[in-house]
Amino acid sequence: MSASIFLLLLATCLYGEQVAGDQEQEHQLVFPLVSDSSQAGDAQLRLPAESGSWVVENCLAVKMVAQMKLYPNNSNIVVTKNIPALAKVSPTSSCSYLNSTITQVLTLEWSEADPSSGILSRNLSLYFTLNNTIPPMYTVSMITSMYQLSRNKVLGKMSPGQNTTDMESKSVSKFLSLTTTTMNPLQFMVPKNRSFLCEESLTVEMMAELITTDGTPHEKLQKAMLTISSFQFDAFRPTTLPSPKFQPATSCSSPSATDLVPIVVGCSLAGLVFFIMVVYLVGRRKAEVKGCAAVLEQGEVH
């Protein structure tokens, strides 16, 4: 009987671990590894050797190697661009975005020279949101980017009787507007007073829209891909913490608290089964003792 109980307990706990394993696989699907170079354009995918490190007023620190894969038009031509390690922290970065105590944002700015358009500007913004749960958790809630594709001089509209030599030229730029929108489900969850660390390559899809400053209607394009590796962030941190230092890290490869729930439930069920079996055996033992006592009493009477 004890062997049967042990096997039942073992099977119940193993079932909980199996459910946790299934959830962990689903969790890993949120962060797919970028290792398949068979797709078009992926042969160009090469992450830079050095990672960048940025701090916003010491309340938010980020370190990462990042790269974007873009489709600048409706063709299948892929443009792969690295986020420079020397990108600057934009003044629009904030420890209290829109005066909110639960939202922080890091915006990186950089520029690149283009042979036909001159200097083009680009940026990337990471938004962090604090959830007042117990314990408090924070996450990357949204990622956006404005990526300038071109800037050209064009002639303005001609007025009646106006010569082309008198027409004024204006600058028209094309941008890729990229956004994840608010991530659902939330990704990269980490307890407050801890940082997030992941050495693996993580991929995030971003919706893409072509914007032209001359008023041309916006055009939706194929989704862009943002790939991040050696990723560490530390938001809502004490401002007294030394700037280069990160708080203790939670690794993306570690099982999350939610992964432990099925194990706890499984073992709790196993404990309940064990308790019921013990009560049953004790009750049965008492019944047998009473039965024996009754038989003995009847024997003595006769």
Side-chain angles (χ1 to χ4, degrees):
M1 178 65 70
S2 59
S4 300
I5 295 175
F6 173 77
L7 291 175
L8 179 61
L9 294 175
L10 180 61
T12 309
C13 284
L14 288 177
Y15 172 76
E17 291 181 355
Q18 177 64 38
V19 174
D22 294 341
Q23 287 191 353
E24 184 176 357
Q25 290 178 357
E26 293 177 1
H27 176 71
Q28 290 173 350
L29 290 177
V30 177
F31 313 120
L33 298 181
V34 180
S35 58
D36 184 4
S37 59
S38 61
Q39 298 180 2
D42 282 354
Q44 308 175 34
L45 192 58
R46 291 188 299 272
L47 292 175
E50 295 184 1
S51 66
S53 183
W54 304 273
V55 177
V56 179
E57 300 176 15
N58 209 35
C59 70
L60 169 60
V62 175
K63 181 171 63 176
M64 65 180 178
V65 178
Q67 184 181 81
M68 291 191 293
K69 186 170 71 172
L70 315 168
Y71 295 88
N73 49 50
N74 281 323
S75 68
N76 289 324
I77 298 176
V78 180
V79 175
T80 303
K81 291 291 185 179
N82 298 326
I83 310 300
L86 297 179
K88 304 297 183 183
V89 175
S90 169
T92 60
S93 302
S94 176
C95 292
S96 54
Y97 182 66
L98 298 179
N99 296 321
S100 171
T101 58
I102 62 170
T103 304
Q104 297 181 346
V105 58
L106 166 68
T107 298
L108 302 177
E109 294 179 335
W110 70 96
S111 59
E112 296 181 81
D114 181 82
S116 58
S117 300
I119 303 299
L120 301 177
S121 62
R122 285 87 190 253
N123 67 46
L124 178 73
S125 297
L126 282 72
Y127 294 80
F128 300 86
T129 300
L130 177 65
N131 296 321
N132 292 318
T133 55
I134 300 176
M137 306 282 288
Y138 71 94
T139 179
V140 178
S141 56
M142 185 168 62
I143 302 175
T144 64
S145 175
M146 287 296 289
Y147 190 93
Q148 190 175 19
L149 294 171
S150 64
R151 183 176 66 245
N152 299 300
K153 292 286 186 180
V154 297
L155 295 176
K157 292 183 178 180
M158 183 182 297
S159 303
Q162 185 180 20
N163 297 324
T164 55
T165 55
D166 297 330
M167 293 176 58
E168 294 184 358
S169 62
K170 63 177 182 179
S171 177
V172 175
S173 295
K174 288 186 177 182
F175 291 87
L176 274 181
S177 175
L178 309 174
T179 181
T180 60
T181 66
T182 302
M183 294 186 184
N184 187 19
L186 297 175
Q187 300 183 16
F188 316 115
M189 292 286 290
V190 61
K192 190 180 178 183
N193 299 323
R194 294 186 71 90
S195 64
F196 174 90
L197 175 63
C198 195
E199 296 294 341
E200 300 174 356
S201 294
L202 312 178
T203 298
V204 177
E205 284 188 341
M206 305 179 73
M207 291 186 294
E209 197 172 39
L210 181 63
I211 298 176
T212 306
T213 57
D214 62 357
T216 303
H218 298 178
E219 179 182 0
K220 290 186 177 181
L221 301 175
Q222 293 187 58
K223 290 182 178 180
M225 305 292 289
L226 175 66
T227 301
I228 306 175
S229 67
S230 302
F231 190 24
Q232 186 169 14
F233 61 77
D234 190 5
F236 305 98
R237 52 191 260 142
T239 55
T240 55
L241 193 70
S243 180
K245 185 178 180 181
F246 285 81
Q247 295 183 99
T250 296
S251 173
C252 64
S253 58
S254 302
S256 66
T258 56
D259 295 332
L260 299 177
V261 171
I263 298 176
V264 173
V265 172
C267 291
S268 297
L269 291 175
L272 179 61
V273 171
F274 178 75
F275 175 75
I276 293 173
M277 293 299 296
V278 169
V279 171
Y280 168 75
L281 292 175
V282 170
R284 182 175 177 179
R285 178 62 178 171
K286 287 182 178 180
E288 290 177 353
V289 171
K290 288 182 179 179
C292 291
V295 170
L296 291 174
E297 287 178 0
Q298 289 179 0
E300 291 176 357
V301 171
H302 292 293

